[in-house]
Amino acid sequence: MGDEKSAPTRVEQQRLRALPSVSSLIQHPAIAPYAREVGARSLTRLAQLVLEEARQAILAGRATGDVVAVLQRRLQKLSQPRLRSVINATGVIIHTNLGRAPVSDEAARAMAEVAGRYTALEIELESGRRGGRMSELSQLLSLLTGAEAGLVVNNNAAAVLLVLSTFCAGRAVLVSRSQAVEIGGGFRIPDVLRQSGARLVEVGTTNRTYVRDYAEAISDDTAAILSVHWSNFRIIGFTVQPELGELAELAHARGLLLIEDLGSGALLDTAAYGLAHEPTVQEAIAAGADLVCFSGDKLLGGPQAGIIVGRRELIEQVERHPLARALRADKTALAGTAVTLRHYLRGEAIDKIPVWRMIATPLAALEARCQTWQSALRDLVETEIVATDATVGGGSLPGETLPSRALALGAEAIAEVVPGLTVEELARRLRTGQPPVVGRVEADRLLLDARTVLPEQDEALVEALRRSLAIS
Ligand SMILES: *Cc1c(COP(=O)(O)O)cnc(C)c1O
């Protein structure tokens, strides 16, 4: 038919005429109450859109659905914020799709408080003079990591970009071939280097890189050695990577900077909880890295942020770079990060920071919580408590698991409560409920892993299950 639109057929004309007018649609009893939620103008606009889509569908010979129902669904969605709290029963602690690390209650309160009030962001209250927004955080970071100073920006991608832009633009940066990696979500080391204006010089091979590979690649043009932690993958077998300390020695002997992108930025030792050892920020500083970049919302357990720690004069140079303003963190992130860092300072991180509490919870406690869920549902549905493997997630500790316990709902047990309800459909009902619950489906069972469900969400989880198993 080409671009030429043929005239509507008689059937189409009938269907078009059957559509309600905008004014009768917005006065429909199922729609009118929403005028209060979204305002009369937006309601009219939305009704026009829905009717226009219906007209297009009719002209294309497609089904339209009931326009009242379509508009009602849109309005319902619109009046419910999409970013609501979710119960994470996946067993993945730092779940990227579920917003990474939940912050501690204290951090959440601090963030809410500075969001809704004025705050002494850039004023020294004693003198009344303008003061840096970063001095408190820099001091906390210095105490915790052994670095001279620190700086908080929008996220770790920003931290790495900013550091490279400040020190390496127009010059060469040495990166091991095994570390020219993609972290996910568009963060690729070669692309970030290019964006900063630096030139990537790959050294060594994919599985083996020696200190001498770096040494041989140094030229007058070289600004830095960049070391990138293998966050989300491992290379095993016939491999060699130099120790960070060896790279520091080489870099400093040749007048280069050693920059470490640590990714997760743990301050505590994951090996204490049966996991592999994730390199800590303190270790990277002690090994001689000049600047270390890491995320605030991975194993640190704070709000989204990127943290740079290192030598004071270098941190000050980073702060003065024009991009620092564009990449800076907002006041809520600064407040939440400061509270999170204080948990470490007071030695209470394991009890207060959710990701560490989840990592450290003993198996017996998870078993007990699954039993509580099971008893609360006993009158309704038959469940099983099964052994599972939880993971740290968020691109940390790939392949490492923490033993866990999950409540399992099998296909038969589900169908016994609601005839015809499948495991997948139950999982969908839970995801679309209020609050949404995200579990995982494995071998025709729905698993709800206790390790990642916050204990204060236990009752809500049971209630959500009851609602989703109601017949309808
Ligand atoms: C996660 C990660 C990043 C990106 O950090 P964001 O906080 O997501 O911006 C960069 N580098 C490494 C090694 C990472 O693991």
Side-chain angles (χ1 to χ4, degrees), residues 10-11 30 43 65 90 101 109 119 174 202 212 219 242 256 258 284 286 294 338 346 351 387 394 415 421:
R10 270 186 51 175
V11 177
L43 185 58
T90 62
R109 275 198 302 276
T119 166
L174 311 185
E202 288 189 25
R212 66 164 187 270
S219 70
L256 309 180
L258 175 61
F294 54 100
R346 295 194 199 115
D351 301 318
L421 186 65

Side-chain angles (χ1 to χ4, degrees), residues 279-298:
T280 65
V281 184
Q282 305 89 297
E283 286 162 2
I285 292 294
D290 298 292
L291 290 161
V292 181
C293 304
F294 54 100
S295 288
D297 53 345
K298 290 182 180 173

Side-chain angles (χ1 to χ4, degrees), residues 100 155-157 183 187 228-229 231 261 263-264 295 297-298 305:
R100 287 203 187 157
N155 58 12
N156 189 33
I183 300 297
F187 185 88
V228 183
H229 179 51
S231 289
D261 175 9
S264 211
S295 288
D297 53 345
K298 290 182 180 173

Side-chain angles (χ1 to χ4, degrees), residues 168-458:
C168 309
R171 300 185 62 192
V173 174
L174 311 185
V175 179
S176 164
R177 274 219 162 72
S178 72
Q179 297 177 351
V181 298
E182 173 173 321
I183 300 297
F187 185 88
R188 306 177 107 193
I189 290 295
D191 296 345
V192 176
L193 271 158
R194 197 173 312 119
Q195 185 63 44
S196 73
R199 189 161 52 79
L200 167 66
V201 176
E202 288 189 25
V203 305
T205 63
T206 303
N207 58 329
R208 296 197 145 206
T209 303
Y210 303 90
V211 177
R212 66 164 187 270
D213 293 324
Y214 288 95
E216 285 163 8
I218 296 174
S219 70
D220 292 345
D221 198 29
T222 311
I225 294 176
L226 172 65
S227 155
V228 183
H229 179 51
W230 293 341
S231 289
N232 50 6
F233 70 102
R234 285 198 296 198
I235 298 180
I236 54 167
F238 190 61
T239 64
V240 173
Q241 284 297 321
E243 297 286 330
L244 205 58
E246 298 175 275
L247 291 183
E249 218 169 281
L250 172 68
H252 299 155
R254 306 287 293 271
L256 309 180
L257 290 177
L258 175 61
I259 300 164
E260 165 84 340
D261 175 9
L262 206 46
S264 211
L267 292 178
L268 300 176
D269 186 6
T270 46
Y273 303 96
L275 293 162
H277 176 71
E278 175 78 7
T280 65
V281 184
Q282 305 89 297
E283 286 162 2
I285 292 294
D290 298 292
L291 290 161
V292 181
C293 304
F294 54 100
S295 288
D297 53 345
K298 290 182 180 173
L299 276 172
L300 195 75
Q304 180 194 304
I307 299 177
I308 309 167
V309 296
R311 286 176 25 218
R312 180 177 303 283
E313 50 160 338
L314 300 178
I315 295 287
E316 284 171 358
Q317 252 179 286
V318 173
E319 278 178 307
R320 285 196 300 268
H321 192 278
L323 261 186
R325 169 63 184 250
L327 301 175
R328 75 182 184 186
D330 85 310
K331 61 182 179 174
T332 61
L334 296 180
T337 304
V339 171
T340 304
L341 293 174
R342 281 210 178 77
H343 290 316
Y344 289 94
L345 207 63
R346 295 194 199 115
E348 60 186 25
I350 291 291
D351 301 318
K352 294 278 180 79
I353 297 177
V355 296
W356 283 98
R357 212 169 64 184
M358 289 174 193
I359 289 173
T361 306
L363 202 51
L366 300 175
E367 175 92 30
R369 285 176 54 210
C370 281
Q371 281 164 2
T372 312
W373 302 350
Q374 187 172 47
S375 324
L377 293 163
R378 183 153 289 145
D379 61 310
L380 179 66
V381 62
E382 193 182 313
T383 60
E384 237 186 299
I385 297 171
V386 299
T388 51
D389 290 322
T391 57
V392 173
S396 309
L397 297 165
E400 292 285 316
T401 58
L402 287 159
S404 190
R405 289 287 182 269
L407 194 71
L409 288 89
E412 281 177 28
I414 294 169
E416 220 160 273
V417 183
V418 185
L421 186 65
T422 63
V423 178
E424 291 290 349
E425 180 59 20
L426 175 63
R428 199 194 64 84
R429 280 192 184 187
L430 281 167
R431 280 198 310 275
T432 54
Q434 179 59 284
V437 177
V438 186
R440 64 180 201 264
V441 174
E442 247 176 55
D444 216 19
R445 291 187 303 192
L446 175 68
L447 300 184
L448 301 168
D449 198 309
R451 196 173 281 280
T452 52
V453 177
L454 300 170
E456 46 275 29
Q457 293 177 317
D458 279 357

